[in-house]
Amino acid sequence: MSDPSGPRPPRRVAMVTVHTSPLAQPGTGDAGGMNVYVLEVARQLARLGTEVDLFTRTTSAAQPEVVEVEPGVVVRHVAAGPYEGLSKEELPGQLCAFAAGMMRVAAHAPPGHYDLVHSHYWLSGQVGWLAADRWGVPLVHTMHTMARVKNVHLADGDEPEPRGREIGEAQVVEAADRLVANTEREAAELVDLYGADPARVAVAEPGVDLVTFAPGSQAAARAALGVPADAVLLLFVGRIQPLKGPDVLVRAAAELVRRRPDLRDRLVVGVLGGASGSGVRTPMGLDVLAERLGIADLVRFVPPVDRPTLADWYRAADVVAVPSHSESFGLVAVEAMACGTPVVAANVGGLPTAVGPGGLLVDGHDTADWATALGRVALGPETRATLSRRAAEHAQGFGWARTAGRLLEVYREALARPKDVSIDDAERIADVPRAVIP
């Protein structure tokens, strides 16, 4: 823990999230757990006294230049390339334009307006690196996902991450004063796969909105969503792309029906999300897969929904499947468990930390293994009741206020001893008079 008498926390942080807006609807396009993370952390930091400016790329002419989310949290849309039609893979060509836009914003104030830069994902890390260097402040970076990890666990039919991304990530790892990992496993991957200095790697586990995502009546949730009261509901929530493995759930559901033909009258397979990443360029064809497996009438495709409705879906489900091939943490798993719903998840990345005692972990993505695990929970009332209780208890340890508190510790450390900057220099930079940016 940090020394309360040590360096004060930053007064204002510039957070960078180039490729996806914290205001975007999670579950489609490039919007997912990172969007939720950035916005929730910013809110909590502001409530703790650290203001946050969130810089993201403008993707529509209708977006205002500045959006105040709440006191102390501002989203700043930066023009960088065409508003629409650019994929994430095309954004490296717009990083200079984005950085220039950030510089123009900061030009309205004297040096010292931002105490620290916190970038999210490697594209933002490239921009954050330049901004932090220009402003003479520390750079804190969170990877969220890593190319070398994803390529080791590549799903069948998915595309490997390009060499350019690997190089860009390695550069950010070297440049950052502090690296924030979601779990101890991710921290080890930063050291092992990218040669990160262990002394500059810290762990801050993501959180969950424990007010929105809380246990409730399954019957009421099903009535609100139009799900039969006696259904056996298996649920997938997330972006529809090979990395997330929604096909694993569809195949496992078909296997359950083969084993238990009586389930056909009650089984509902919910797939909640929109196409993303390689799933946009090459649609996964889950509907075609379900048709071929003979369960098209059991699969219900639902577009992304708002957070309260998402909580109802979690409560309505008997089990939530998280069959990802790679996952830095697994926010869906924690949201589901906060609602008292057990999880069956792949034993990869941060999912063991996220799931804990609130579900089952499956090694690999074999259809038979997944059918067995899902059936054990969804069709075993005693098992489900035990896991449901444990899930709700485990999720209580993942509030966003806890995440923000840990980040403030990391920020203090970075301000006290930024890489290549002395304590005296850091304090001098932080004490420069501040001004208000319009």
Side-chain angles (χ1 to χ4, degrees):
M1 299 292 288
S2 61
D3 179 359
S5 64
R8 59 171 174 74
R11 288 168 291 190
R12 182 177 287 111
V13 170
M15 274 198 189
V16 191
T17 169
V18 172
H19 77 284
T20 179
S21 170
L23 302 179
Q25 167 68 57
T28 190
D30 292 316
M34 192 186 91
N35 302 68
V36 177
Y37 178 106
V38 170
L39 189 58
E40 293 296 338
V41 160
R43 285 172 164 156
Q44 292 296 330
L45 287 172
R47 294 166 192 174
L48 292 171
T50 294
E51 296 180 8
V52 179
D53 278 12
L54 291 157
F55 291 88
T56 191
R57 197 177 76 87
T58 304
T59 56
S60 168
Q63 289 174 328
E65 187 174 332
V66 178
V67 177
E68 183 179 24
V69 177
E70 64 179 66
V73 180
V74 172
V75 173
R76 297 186 178 277
H77 292 107
V78 178
Y83 291 161
E84 300 174 355
L86 282 184
S87 68
K88 183 170 62 176
E89 291 72 24
E90 295 173 303
L91 290 182
Q94 300 302 323
L95 296 184
C96 285
F98 191 96
M102 283 186 65
M103 297 302 113
R104 282 193 292 272
V105 170
H108 288 281
H113 186 73
Y114 296 110
D115 295 319
L116 180 142
V117 176
H118 187 173
S119 52
H120 297 267
Y121 192 71
W122 79 276
L123 293 171
S124 302
Q126 291 280 319
V127 173
W129 175 16
L130 175 61
D133 185 68
R134 177 70 176 270
W135 299 336
V137 301
L139 171 65
V140 174
H141 181 71
T142 303
M143 284 288 201
H144 292 283
T145 64
M146 294 180 277
R148 290 174 182 171
V149 174
K150 291 178 72 173
N151 287 344
V152 168
H153 302 285
L154 203 65
D156 291 340
D158 206 357
E159 302 171 6
E161 294 297 317
R163 174 68 173 158
R165 175 179 172 181
E166 290 191 35
I167 295 171
E169 288 177 342
Q171 290 173 329
V172 174
V173 167
E174 175 63 27
D177 297 285
R178 291 294 183 275
L179 295 160
V180 178
N182 288 329
T183 63
E184 293 290 350
R185 180 181 290 194
E186 185 181 352
E189 291 168 340
L190 279 165
V191 174
D192 296 341
L193 298 179
Y194 289 86
D197 177 1
R200 291 191 286 117
V201 180
V203 176
E205 293 173 346
V208 63
D209 178 353
L210 294 171
V211 175
T212 300
F213 299 102
S217 167
Q218 184 184 70
R222 290 186 171 192
L225 298 171
V227 175
D230 65 342
V232 175
L233 175 57
L234 313 179
L235 181 65
F236 169 90
V237 174
R239 289 170 288 162
I240 310 301
Q241 60 180 136
L243 175 71
K244 299 296 184 180
D247 58 304
V248 175
L249 174 59
V250 175
R251 297 177 192 277
E255 174 63 14
L256 274 176
V257 171
R258 188 192 68 78
R259 295 179 185 179
R260 290 274 306 271
D262 59 299
L263 280 177
R264 173 167 287 282
D265 293 334
R266 294 193 296 138
L267 189 65
V268 176
V269 182
V271 178
L272 198 162
S276 173
S278 58
V280 174
R281 295 185 296 276
T282 308
M284 293 191 69
L286 294 180
D287 53 346
V288 176
L289 176 63
E291 182 73 34
R292 180 166 60 82
L293 295 173
I295 61 167
D297 56 321
L298 308 183
V299 181
R300 182 171 169 180
F301 294 100
V302 182
V305 296
D306 59 35
R307 310 304 276 170
T309 305
L310 176 58
D312 271 343
W313 274 103
Y314 288 137
R315 296 182 192 109
D318 290 294
V319 60
V320 171
V322 188
S324 305
H325 293 265
S326 176
E327 198 72 67
S328 63
F329 180 64
L331 185 58
V332 163
V334 181
E335 289 176 344
M337 293 190 302
C339 292
T341 302
V343 169
V344 172
N347 188 11
V348 299
L351 284 170
T353 299
V355 173
L360 304 179
L361 296 174
V362 180
D363 292 323
H365 295 82
D366 179 75
T367 297
D369 291 343
W370 275 83
T372 297
L374 290 167
R376 179 181 168 190
V377 178
L379 305 178
E382 293 185 3
T383 298
R384 187 182 186 281
T386 298
L387 290 176
S388 177
R389 183 182 68 255
R390 292 175 180 172
E393 292 172 352
H394 182 62
Q396 290 302 306
F398 291 99
W400 285 115
R402 177 174 175 264
T403 307
R406 178 65 182 118
L407 285 179
L408 281 178
E409 292 180 4
V410 176
Y411 293 168
R412 287 176 184 267
E413 294 166 2
L415 287 166
R417 294 183 182 275
K419 186 164 57 69
D420 300 327
V421 179
S422 70
I423 292 178
D424 290 342
D425 287 341
E427 291 178 345
R428 173 182 55 77
I429 291 168
D431 287 336
V432 172
R434 306 168 66 79
V436 175
I437 294 177

